[in-house]
Amino acid sequence: MSPATGHVLGVDSGGSGIRVALRPVPGSGPDLTWSSSAPVAVGERGVDARGLLGQVLPAARSLLARAGAQRCEAVCVGAAGMVSLGADLRAVLPSALREALGVRRLALASDAVTAYAGTLGQRPGAVVAAGTGLIAVGTDLTAEGGWRRADGWGHLLGDCGSGAWIGRAGLEAAMRAYDGRAGGSPALLERLREVFGPPPELPAALYPRSDRPAVLASFAPEVSRCAPGDPVAADILRRAARHIAEAAAAVCPAAGPGPGRGATPAATGRQAGLADPADEVYGAGGACDVAVTGGLLRLGTPLLAPLREELQLQLPHARPVAAAGEPLDGALCVAEALLTDSLLLPADPPMLHIVC
Amino acid sequence: MSPATGHVLGVDSGGSGIRVALRPVPGSGPDLTWSSSAPVAVGERGVDARGLLGQVLPAARSLLARAGAQRCEAVCVGAAGMVSLGADLRAVLPSALREALGVRRLALASDAVTAYAGTLGQRPGAVVAAGTGLIAVGTDLTAEGGWRRADGWGHLLGDCGSGAWIGRAGLEAAMRAYDGRAGGSPALLERLREVFGPPPELPAALYPRSDRPAVLASFAPEVSRCAPGDPVAADILRRAARHIAEAAAAVCPAAGPGPGRGATPAATGRQAGLADPADEVYGAGGACDVAVTGGLLRLGTPLLAPLREELQLQLPHARPVAAAGEPLDGALCVAEALLTDSLLLPADPPMLHIVC
């Protein structure tokens, strides 16, 4: 069998569940897909590799059987937490996937990279992947530039503007109304009662759970629903939109390197009125492709209207593009590029780690 | 032995550890004390009673032995999470303490109530207990009024202005600087590196821990240290001060009942320019005693200066008083009042539950 033909597997593991897809290469017919709403647990060793395999291996075997195939030639696993909490995945997945599925080529990617590939394919630009969590990544496709990343630090350290962030802010505003504190929203309190029951019992329902970010994010649609008539809810979505655009601005190739990587924004040409570094990448007058993708877009106009304004305000030179795909498509895209030796996206562990 | 004499035990269980004190009644000599820096875990059943007993019982036996005593006549356990996460404590502690220590009278209290008693004793007023978490309680000492409470909903739903809140905001600002996002603080990033090591490794160090609020709160002193020279850190403390005063304003007896208990602030006499309801409690011109107490005060002037301004702004009729004591003193105060049948603070479960 030629190395450029066979079946490739894409895996997308996020805060709200796992999705798996199998694709024949060269393509013929639709991808076979499987999904679960049980997110992989985060334990002492980070994202739990055995928990992920416990869902992915049976799913992959079932998809292979449906396709009448014996093995996966190439796999790309995109996972939330891959960068910061991926040690167990990196230690366990390579040999486990080789042994169980006959995998020859494997990529382990941040879910932000698979979201990027699902949205912009192998073009340069910036993508914000926003769902339960939020991370922004950008690349100019050069090996030196690698991947830039902003946020994705989880619900306690960041993920600003994410579903968990919006839901948490909405629940805080509801509890403020319950207490009679300033900044409360009676409308959100009403929604909290409807969704979770008596407010004083919410802490006991929330804190012992291992999927706290998903619980918080489950309230984000209520914030969006209240926003048209409730100034507190509308302000939460306005602030979320600002945070989302801030993350995009920090990774957009045209914006120059961030201070975390050795240069302050004030030192880049763009802010100082000198030659725009974007010109080197895109030519004079070129713009960075910027997209926001992920489940957060389902919040609709109450979020998307301020988001459009904030992107225009903070990234006036960027070209907003429609989100063309899903992280699962991106995982398939990377796996297929691995198989056909056509990967343009930069290998830059732990953002995108080409294992073999 | 008369029921009004004997040894009483006070317990203070908070996010940063447990403290226990034994007092002879009538008093002679200093209280005997014991402390541990290991907080009680929060599990599926809420605050873990066996974990608390595992520390408190050996400590109590040791203190009794030092005092040459055989039993505790009365005990007050003040615990963070008693209100929302105290089901296991309420189920297990009564019989366990009776069997192990011979306890005849027992009170289970929110740590906010013990903080109140440690600060204002048995006078009417409002107290904000601020440490790793934050809760405000107030009472006019009437049985009908009971206890008013604001916040204390934990680090994901509230505890606004607490140590965990300040530390979390400081870490977010540090990660923003690392990413090159807006709102970042290079000074706080420097402190993060010093305290926790490389920023990308912080999520893996934080999220798997069961004492996440304490980890977050451990960064609050760094925010205070940076505030004099760093506008981002100073703004975090200014916002914390505002939140602390908001919680105090919501429970201060003079402010009327909050909307969570059936009346909106706008419907009370104070806001509407009618007769001040405080007059009924304190007489015309009387003021509510308001105090902020707890470990958060150790952040010093960078927090206390804006806090003084915010209390003056939001509670102009209140009389700020120096924090006279600790939650542990309050637990002893309640236990002693139980023993001597002199309890004035209103029994109002689950804020203050007189078991026997």
Side-chain angles (χ1 to χ4, degrees), chain A residues 42-46 83-85 149-160 165 168-169 171-173 175-183 189 193 199-209 212 216 243 246-247 249-251 258-261 265 314, chain B residues 42-46 83-85 149-160 165 168-169 171-173 175-183 189 193 199-209 212 216 243 246-247 249-251 258-261 265 314:
Chain A
V42 175
E44 287 187 9
R45 292 171 48 83
V83 169
S84 302
L85 300 167
R149 167 239 171 107
D151 212 345
W153 304 116
H155 68 297
L156 292 178
L157 299 169
D159 283 7
C160 301
W165 187 97
R168 198 209 56 71
L171 292 171
E172 181 188 315
M175 298 310 282
R176 283 177 173 270
Y178 178 77
D179 289 343
R181 275 181 293 152
L189 177 57
R193 287 188 209 271
E201 295 173 18
L202 180 55
L206 172 65
Y207 290 109
R209 292 182 62 151
R212 291 175 295 276
L216 296 173
H243 292 326
E246 285 164 355
V251 301
R261 286 154 196 86
Q314 295 189 42
Chain B
V42 175
E44 287 188 9
R45 291 171 49 83
V83 169
S84 301
L85 300 167
R149 166 242 171 104
D151 212 344
W153 304 116
H155 68 295
L156 292 178
L157 299 169
D159 284 7
C160 301
W165 188 97
R168 198 209 56 71
L171 291 171
E172 180 188 316
M175 297 311 282
R176 282 176 173 271
Y178 178 78
D179 289 343
R181 274 180 295 152
L189 176 57
R193 286 188 210 272
E201 294 173 19
L202 180 56
L206 172 64
Y207 290 108
R209 292 183 62 152
R212 290 176 295 276
L216 296 174
H243 292 326
E246 285 164 355
V251 302
R261 284 153 196 87
Q314 296 189 41

